Amino acid sequence: MNPEHAWFTHDRFGMFVHWGLYALPARHEWVMNRERIHTEDYEKYFDYFEADLYDPRAWAKAAKEAGMKYVVLTTKHHEGFAMWDSALTDYKVTKTPHGKDVVAAYVEALREADLKVGFYHSLIDWHHPDYTVDPVHPRRDDENAAALNEGRDMNKYRDYLHGQVRELLSNYGTIDYIFFDFSFPGRSANGLEGKGKDDWNSPELINLVRELQPNIIVNDRLDIPGDLVTPEQYQPSGPMLKDGQPVIWEACQTLNGSWGYDRDNSDYKSVELLIKMLVDGVSKDGNLLLNVGPTGRGNFDPRAIESLAGIGEWTKLHGRSIYGAGASEFTAPADTRFTANGNRLYLHLFSWPMRHVHIAGLAGKIAYAQLLNDASEVRYSEADPSQTAQNTTPGGQPAGTVTLDLPIQPPDVAVPVVEIFLK
Ligand code: GLC
C-alpha cells in the first residue's frame, strides 16, 4: 500500500453523496435509464434545478457528527450533468437557476471541517452526443438502437472524459480519492456492446490522474486494477483477497437501496443495522462508504439526518473500536465481531447474551476488560475444562477459553462493545 493512503485504512468510515438533476424526479439516480427518458425530455430538470437549500457546511457537519472522516460527491453521474463549472459543456450547474459551482463550495466546506475530499465521476454519459448507445443506455430498447450510433464518435467522448477529469483534478486543490463508475465490458444486447478500458482509454486516464494528484486513491471500476476494491450493496463474508493476497476494500452502501434521493422509498435500514455493517466491515479490514441522496433543494431529508445522528451517538462513544482498527487474529464467538488495534481487542455484541460470553484462545492473555461506552469493568474467568456442571455452576469450557461475565441489562447503545486489554 502507498503510505500516503494510510489515512484511508485508518479512518474506515466515509460519506457518499449522490446529487444531481435526478434529485428532482426523486425516483432513483437511474430514472433516465429506468423510464427510458430521452435527453431532450430529461433536460426539463435542468431548468428547475434551484437547490436553494444547498449548504455543504451542513453536509460536512452531519458527516463529521456521524463519525465519518471523508466524503465522496458525485461530480457527474450517468445523466451527464456536471456539478462544477466545466469549460467543456453547458450542461452544468452554473447554467441552471442555481448558478453556482457546487463542487467548489463542497471542497471548501470539507477542508474547513478537516474532512478528506473525494470525487465520484461517471465514465458513462447518457447526455453527451458522441457517447454511443450501449446495453445500459436509456435508448437501448429503441427499435433502431444500433442505428442511433451512426455519427457518434467515442474518440470525441474520450477526449471530453479526460478533459473533464483534468479540470476536476487541476482546479480544486488536493483531491484524496476518486471513484470512477463503472465499466461493463462483458455485457451485450440488441446488437449493442458493453464498455471497458478501451472505451475510456483507462491506462492513459489513470496516468493522467496520478500525474495531477500523485497521492490520490483510485478505485477499481476502470476495468484495470486500482488501489482498492469496491463491493457494492453487500457485506463481504471475510477480508477481501485478490490472487490470494489481501486487498484494501470499501463497501459502498445506501440508507434505503437508492443512491439518488428516492422520495417514495421508505426501505430505510435501522441505525443498528447500519452500525453493524460498519463494524462488520472493519472486522474484515474494510471501510464503509455510506450514502446520502440530498433532495432537489440540496438538503438532507429528515430520514437521512436521523440515521446519521443515530450512528453518531454510537461512534462518539465507540470510535476507537473503529478508527485505526482492523481484523483480529482471534475468532469471534457467534453473533459477535472482533476489531483490534494494537493490544486492544474490541468485542462487538450483535445480540446481548444471558450473562456469559465464552471466547476461545484468550486464556492467560487478558490484562483487563471493560464496557467501552462507560469504562465499567467486565469481569472474566477461565473455567477448568474438567469442571462438572452442577446447579448454578456451569460446566467447564475447552482449554484456553475465557468467559466474560456480563450484566443482565445491556448498556443503552445500539451495539454494545467490550474493550479487552491484552497483556
Ligand atoms: C452503481 C449504481 C450507480 C451508483 C454506484 C455507486 O454503479 O449503478 O448509480 O452511483 O453504484 O457505487
Side-chain angles (χ1 to χ4, degrees):
M1 180 175 76
N2 173 341
E4 296 295 333
H5 297 172
W7 69 267
F8 187 80
T9 49
H10 175 276
D11 289 354
R12 293 295 184 204
F13 190 27
M15 176 185 274
F16 216 166
V17 180
H18 276 66
W19 197 37
L21 294 180
Y22 44 80
L24 295 179
R27 301 191 294 273
H28 193 277
E29 78 283 357
W30 275 55
V31 62
M32 193 175 171
N33 166 292
R34 290 180 169 192
E35 300 176 13
R36 294 161 179 72
I37 305 176
H38 291 199
T39 306
E40 53 281 9
D41 299 327
Y42 192 82
E43 284 174 353
K44 72 174 179 187
Y45 298 117
F46 182 96
D47 303 329
Y48 297 100
F49 194 79
E50 289 182 333
D52 57 320
L53 298 178
Y54 172 50
D55 175 8
R57 287 183 179 77
W59 293 9
K61 186 164 180 287
K64 221 163 160 94
E65 290 182 354
M68 295 155 158
K69 304 292 186 184
Y70 60 102
V71 184
V72 180
L73 169 69
T74 51
T75 57
K76 182 188 89 166
H77 203 266
H78 309 335
E79 64 182 4
F81 176 70
M83 298 295 273
W84 76 103
D85 190 18
S86 173
L88 303 178
T89 181
D90 281 339
Y91 198 53
K92 59 185 177 182
V93 68
T94 45
K95 293 272 184 186
T96 68
H98 181 72
K100 286 167 279 182
D101 187 326
V102 162
V103 169
Y106 155 82
V107 170
E108 193 185 321
L110 262 61
R111 298 243 162 82
E112 265 174 32
D114 193 26
L115 289 163
K116 287 274 194 293
V117 179
F119 286 163
Y120 164 109
H121 193 73
S122 175
L123 302 164
I124 297 169
D125 190 321
W126 297 326
H127 185 268
H128 195 281
D130 287 300
Y131 184 89
T132 51
V133 175
D134 56 41
V136 295
H137 193 282
R139 308 289 300 270
R140 63 195 178 282
D141 294 334
D142 283 29
E143 225 151 283
N144 60 348
L148 287 170
N149 286 336
E150 267 142 44
R152 292 180 186 230
D153 180 355
M154 275 297 283
N155 290 311
K156 289 192 185 142
Y157 176 68
R158 263 187 295 280
D159 292 345
Y160 176 79
L161 170 66
H162 290 225
Q164 286 200 317
V165 170
R166 179 181 287 282
E167 287 181 329
L168 287 166
L169 300 184
S170 305
N171 301 347
Y172 299 99
T174 301
I175 305 303
D176 304 291
Y177 182 15
I178 188 158
F179 190 113
F180 287 108
D181 192 47
F182 63 97
S183 299
F184 48 106
R187 276 193 232 178
S188 64
N190 210 3
L192 303 167
E193 294 308 320
K195 290 190 171 75
K197 56 181 177 288
D198 300 334
D199 299 282
W200 326 125
N201 193 350
S202 296
E204 201 178 286
L205 186 55
I206 207 165
N207 287 346
L208 171 70
V209 169
R210 297 212 190 280
E211 175 206 314
L212 296 169
Q213 300 273 348
N215 297 324
I216 199 168
I217 294 174
V218 185
N219 76 335
D220 62 334
R221 298 189 179 191
L222 285 169
D223 193 20
I224 56 175
D227 299 315
L228 78 160
V229 296
T230 54
E232 176 183 324
Q233 304 230 53
Y234 75 91
Q235 289 293 116
S237 50
M240 298 196 80
L241 306 174
K242 209 157 197 175
D243 312 326
Q245 293 305 311
V247 287
I248 297 174
W249 66 272
E250 173 198 66
C252 50
Q253 299 276 14
T254 62
L255 293 173
N256 68 351
S258 176
W259 302 94
Y261 179 59
D262 191 1
R263 184 193 64 200
D264 302 339
N265 173 342
S266 54
D267 191 18
Y268 276 72
K269 299 171 179 76
S270 69
V271 165
E272 183 184 327
L273 177 57
L274 294 166
I275 292 168
K276 286 178 178 174
M277 289 155 61
L278 172 61
V279 168
D280 177 66
V282 176
S283 77
K284 297 161 182 166
D285 283 331
N287 283 33
L288 174 63
L289 186 65
L290 184 60
N291 185 76
V292 178
T295 72
R297 304 283 300 274
N299 58 341
F300 290 172
D301 86 287
R303 297 166 293 183
I305 290 174
E306 200 185 313
S307 301
L308 294 172
I311 297 170
E313 263 182 48
W314 186 86
T315 52
K316 279 191 190 62
L317 290 172
H318 302 89
R320 67 179 188 235
S321 70
I322 298 293
Y323 310 125
S328 160
E329 63 184 287
F330 300 104
T331 304
D335 254 356
T336 74
R337 299 288 187 281
F338 269 140
T339 61
N341 188 356
N343 76 325
R344 296 191 188 205
L345 190 55
Y346 298 95
L347 179 70
H348 301 258
L349 294 144
F350 281 16
S351 66
W352 191 251
M354 169 39 196
R355 287 190 53 196
H356 297 130
V357 180
H358 307 293
I359 309 173
L362 278 184
K365 296 191 170 82
I366 299 184
Y368 184 73
Q370 62 186 13
L371 283 176
L372 181 51
N373 61 292
D374 65 0
S376 58
E377 183 177 14
V378 169
R379 290 184 286 186
Y380 53 90
S381 57
E382 294 167 16
D384 171 357
S386 64
Q387 181 173 291
T388 315
Q390 180 64 44
N391 301 359
T392 57
T393 307
Q397 294 293 323
T401 304
V402 165
T403 299
L404 300 184
D405 206 346
L406 297 171
I408 295 298
Q409 298 305 322
D412 182 17
V413 296
V415 177
V417 181
V418 178
E419 181 174 41
I420 297 169
F421 297 80
L422 300 174
K423 286 180 184 159

